[in-house]
Amino acid sequence: PKYNNMTKINTEDFLATINQLLTFSLETKKRNFVEAIDIQVGLKNYDPVREKRFQGTFVLPHPVRAKTNMMVIGNERHCDEAKALGYAYIDADGLREFKRKMKPIKKWAKPFHTFVASDTLIRQVPRILGPYLNKVGKFPSPLGSDENMDAKYQEMIRTLKWQMKKVVCISAAVANVSMTDDEIYQNAVAALNGLVSLLKKGWQNIRAVHLHSTMGPSF
């Protein structure tokens, strides 16, 4: 979906919050890795038990992470392409070797932020692996036979997925501390607008919005 810059959040206040977060992460308590920035949204007038749970995928203006690892679950053609381009890959036979055992599946999936699967294989993934990838929000996006893999990667590193669970607080990674204030703001606004479009009452369902870095406090 397309994004826009319309939001009920005060722009100056939001930029001030981003500045506070970056000051803490880059000066007060600088880490030896690039921290991600999550947006946390508290909901109101929403019953996650009674109401239908929602999910939606949105492409943000800028890449979310400083470095994103992508796994290609591919047919023969896509595995060959992934190998040539330097992406990690696995075929259906490789998935079957896990024998649906949770421990090796978790170990295999952990290093990767995003997954794509050949459109000819994607329906087989839950049958072969079980529900784990979907459970942790890493179910692969389809990769068509005519799609450019590098272009798909560029799309995936800007993709955010909102997925409602059994709680009234929802969060997602929207940026990282190496980005500029404006880039973080643009991604956060696009993410919020995407979430609002999924809510029955829109902004009336939003109680509070906070930002925090991987190891930092909420602002």
Side-chain angles (χ1 to χ4, degrees):
K2 293 182 178 180
Y3 69 94
N4 58 54
N5 290 319
M6 297 301 292
T7 176
K8 298 277 187 179
I9 301 292
N10 181 279
T11 300
E12 288 186 9
D13 289 346
F14 207 177
L15 285 170
T17 297
I18 292 168
N19 185 261
Q20 280 184 289
L21 183 151
L22 291 178
T23 298
F24 182 88
S25 293
L26 300 177
E27 297 176 20
T28 307
K29 198 77 173 178
K30 185 173 174 58
R31 307 288 176 173
N32 59 359
F33 66 96
V34 179
E35 293 182 89
I37 297 174
D38 282 19
I39 190 166
Q40 296 175 317
V41 182
L43 302 180
K44 64 180 181 179
N45 303 322
Y46 184 88
D47 186 341
V49 176
R50 299 178 63 182
E51 297 191 48
K52 184 179 179 181
R53 293 180 204 168
F54 58 79
Q55 64 178 33
T57 301
F58 302 88
V59 178
L60 305 183
H62 308 285
V64 172
R65 293 180 175 82
K67 182 180 180 182
T68 300
N69 296 322
M70 183 174 78
M71 167 61 72
V72 178
I73 301 173
N75 53 28
E76 185 176 0
R77 177 189 165 185
H78 281 147
C79 284
D80 288 343
E81 187 179 356
K83 183 178 181 180
L85 294 172
Y87 296 114
Y89 63 93
I90 191 170
D91 61 12
D93 288 338
L95 295 181
R96 291 188 184 96
E97 290 181 8
F98 293 126
K99 297 179 181 177
R100 294 174 68 102
K101 293 180 180 177
M102 190 64 68
K103 192 172 180 179
I105 291 172
K106 281 184 177 180
K107 185 178 180 181
W108 163 73
K110 186 177 180 180
F112 301 100
H113 304 107
T114 189
F115 290 71
V116 296
S118 302
D119 53 7
T120 55
L121 278 180
I122 197 163
R123 290 186 178 182
Q124 297 181 41
V125 173
R127 290 204 297 267
I128 298 172
L129 284 185
Y132 179 73
L133 292 182
N134 189 52
K135 189 176 180 181
V136 297
K138 292 185 176 182
F139 192 80
S141 294
L143 180 64
S145 58
D146 58 345
E147 283 191 272
N148 179 286
M149 193 172 289
D150 275 334
K152 187 70 173 181
Y153 174 77
Q154 291 302 319
E155 176 188 316
M156 296 304 297
I157 63 177
R158 294 187 293 118
T159 296
L160 170 143
K161 183 177 182 180
W162 286 117
Q163 186 168 7
M164 189 62 196
K165 297 184 180 179
K166 294 181 179 180
V167 292
V168 290
C169 184
I170 187 170
S171 66
V174 294
N176 67 81
V177 297
S178 72
M179 295 166 66
T180 67
D181 297 42
D182 283 344
E183 289 172 339
I184 296 168
Y185 173 79
Q186 290 166 17
N187 270 15
V189 167
L192 276 174
N193 286 332
L195 175 60
V196 167
S197 73
L198 298 172
L199 296 170
K200 186 183 291 186
K201 296 181 180 178
W203 282 97
Q204 293 179 35
N205 286 128
I206 302 293
R207 177 176 56 81
V209 178
H210 296 281
L211 294 175
H212 80 91
S213 60
T214 305
M215 304 294 288
S218 294
F219 291 94

